Amino acid sequence: MIGLALGKKAVKHGYKRAGIPGAIATGGAAAVGYVVVKRALKSRTSEENVDSAIDTDQIKSAVEEQGIGAVTDRETLESAVDEEQLDTDVDMESVQSEAEDEADEIEEGSENNNSK
C-alpha cells in the first residue's frame, strides 16, 4: 500500500507541473524507484517486510530531481532507508549494487517492450 500512496502523491505533483503527461511520467518513475529500492533491500536482508524502512518521500524527491537513476546512488539510499526499522544489519554498498542490477533489469524490460 505504501507504493500506491507514493504513486498517488507523485501523480498529483506531476499533474500540477505538466498536466496529464507529467502525472503519468512522475508517478510512474517514482513508483519504479520505490520498487527498485524495495527489491534491493529484500534481496540483501532476511526481511520480508521492508516497507517501513523506506522513506517514500525521499525516493519520490530524488527521482523527481535526478531521474530513476537516483535510486542507485548510495547517498540517496542511505537517506531513504532507515536501518533501525530492519532487524538485520544492512550493507549499503551491497544494497546499492543490487539496486543498480534491479534498475538495469527494469530498463532492459522496458526496452524490450518498446521494440515490439
Side-chain angles (χ1 to χ4, degrees):
M1 294 308 273
I2 291 175
L4 179 60
L6 168 69
K8 286 171 68 175
K9 283 183 185 179
V11 166
K12 186 175 182 180
H13 178 76
Y15 183 76
K16 287 181 181 178
R17 291 180 71 186
I20 292 173
I24 293 168
T26 305
V32 168
Y34 174 79
V35 168
V36 166
V37 173
K38 182 176 177 177
R39 286 182 180 175
L41 264 181
K42 275 186 156 184
S43 176
R44 297 300 179 192
T45 65
S46 60
E47 301 281 320
E48 276 302 310
N49 186 5
V50 296
D51 292 330
S52 62
I54 302 172
D55 181 347
T56 56
D57 290 331
Q58 184 68 34
I59 297 292
K60 180 178 134 256
S61 296
V63 169
E64 286 175 357
E65 292 172 13
Q66 302 167 9
I68 193 67
V71 298
T72 63
D73 180 60
R74 185 182 178 118
E75 207 172 286
T76 301
L77 290 168
E78 287 176 347
S79 64
V81 175
D82 182 2
E83 294 180 52
E84 293 177 6
Q85 295 290 325
L86 301 169
D87 292 334
T88 60
D89 291 333
V90 178
D91 176 10
M92 275 303 162
E93 189 172 316
S94 177
V95 172
Q96 178 186 14
S97 176
E98 186 66 27
E100 289 171 350
D101 292 345
E102 289 289 338
D104 288 345
E105 280 183 35
I106 289 172
E107 189 174 285
E108 287 172 9
S110 174
E111 288 174 2
N112 289 341
N113 287 339
N114 288 337
S115 65
K116 291 181 178 178

